[in-house]
Amino acid sequence: MSTLTTPHIDVHRGGDRMKTRVAWLDSKHSFSFGEHYDPENTHHGLLLVNNEDIVTPGQGFDTHPHRDMEIVTWVLSGSLVHQDSLGHSGIIYPGLAQRMSAGTGILHSEKNDAWRMSPGTTEHADPVHFVQMWVVPDEPGLSPGYQQLEVDDELAGGGLVTVASGLPRYRDRTAIAINSSHAALHVARMPGESGPPVELPEAPYLHLFVARGEIDMAGVGTLYEGDAVRLARSGGQRITANLPSEILVWEMHARLGAQ
């Protein structure tokens, strides 16, 4: 891992993302993913994957393996059922942060079929809309693990809330732990024009993703749903929301390889 010294801000529009579309899945990829490979767009800082997925009811990702990756899932609407080879099984919904550490190896599935978890529950017709993010752990070969935490109350204030972190500076905050001592994910649910502004943390690498709504970023301008900004040696920019909005901000103090 290394750091970069040249400041820069790059805006990536949502419409320019690589896309995977099948009958049950609408997936948009901020970075190279699966069959979509661009050698100039493989990661930013320690963030390798930022996928925005919509999955139809009763469908999802069948059991598949992961290794040596910290995987954070954030649901925007609907619900997602997680099951893994460690015996964890649960429903992820808006306001519930979830982390899976793949470590030496783990199998898991993710499906939009919450009614199957509760006998007698009526099958719903709602898609699930979520963002899944992968960051590199400090070292390979760690023990696999799983953690989830309800942070809905903290988000009600409209400011940035640390929801997943390995950075020592956020150790005492309410957050799920990730095995990356150089990275943290912050989320803000901004109520709109009447709400308070948000200020980005300062870090060698930042990745801001507009998951919902429309915001203005000082020095950049208007950003719409699906847009992202990659920053290096920057921070402190003021964010205001034009509409009710939700932003995901990765603060990273190292990078993978060379950019």
Side-chain angles (χ1 to χ4, degrees), residues 18-259:
M18 295 167 279
K19 302 174 181 66
T20 298
R21 288 189 175 133
V22 294
W24 58 271
L25 172 68
D26 181 355
S27 184
K28 302 179 181 71
H29 318 295
S30 296
F31 304 98
S32 294
F33 188 80
E35 64 183 21
H36 303 287
Y37 180 70
D38 177 357
E40 301 300 318
N41 184 28
T42 59
H43 67 286
H44 179 65
L46 297 172
L47 183 64
L48 274 74
V49 169
N50 187 87
N51 286 349
E52 180 185 2
D53 294 342
I54 298 175
V55 175
T56 60
Q59 302 294 324
F61 300 94
D62 290 328
T63 301
H64 58 281
H66 289 286
R67 186 181 181 93
D68 292 326
M69 199 64 63
E70 298 294 296
I71 300 173
V72 179
T73 301
W74 186 255
V75 173
L76 298 167
S77 63
S79 61
L80 186 68
V81 175
H82 166 94
Q83 294 179 305
D84 64 42
S85 54
L86 297 179
H88 300 112
S89 180
I91 300 173
I92 315 166
Y93 49 85
L96 181 73
Q98 185 239 43
R99 177 269 298 167
M100 186 179 73
S101 298
T104 54
I106 194 170
L107 299 170
H108 82 137
S109 64
E110 299 161 299
K111 295 190 175 183
N112 182 9
D113 59 356
W115 63 85
R116 295 193 175 109
M117 301 287 287
S118 302
T121 303
T122 303
E123 180 174 345
H124 65 247
D126 301 322
V128 58
H129 184 190
F130 64 98
V131 181
Q132 188 168 93
M133 299 151 281
W134 300 7
V135 293
V136 180
D138 288 337
E139 57 185 297
L142 299 172
S143 297
Y146 177 91
Q147 188 181 5
Q148 64 182 44
L149 185 68
E150 171 68 65
V151 293
D152 205 54
D153 289 345
E154 288 82 356
L155 291 166
L160 279 181
V161 175
T162 307
V163 301
S165 175
L167 284 168
R169 71 182 66 184
Y170 301 122
R171 186 171 292 133
D172 296 331
R173 298 195 186 183
T174 299
I176 51 176
I178 56 175
N179 293 307
S180 177
S181 58
H182 301 288
L185 171 65
H186 312 282
V187 177
R189 279 186 189 157
M190 306 179 71
E193 292 181 340
S194 62
V198 164
E199 185 174 303
L200 294 181
E202 295 191 11
Y205 305 93
L206 291 171
H207 184 272
L208 179 151
F209 178 68
V210 184
R212 291 190 302 111
E214 178 186 307
I215 65 171
D216 281 329
M217 178 176 172
V220 172
T222 304
L223 298 168
Y224 304 93
E225 187 168 307
D227 289 349
V229 184
R230 303 176 194 181
L231 304 92
R233 289 292 174 197
S234 188
Q237 289 87 354
R238 185 184 175 100
I239 307 293
T240 56
N242 302 323
L243 305 169
S245 303
E246 194 159 341
I247 61 173
L248 312 181
V249 179
W250 278 98
E251 172 188 351
M252 297 167 286
H253 293 260
R255 63 171 174 159
L256 178 67
Q259 290 181 318

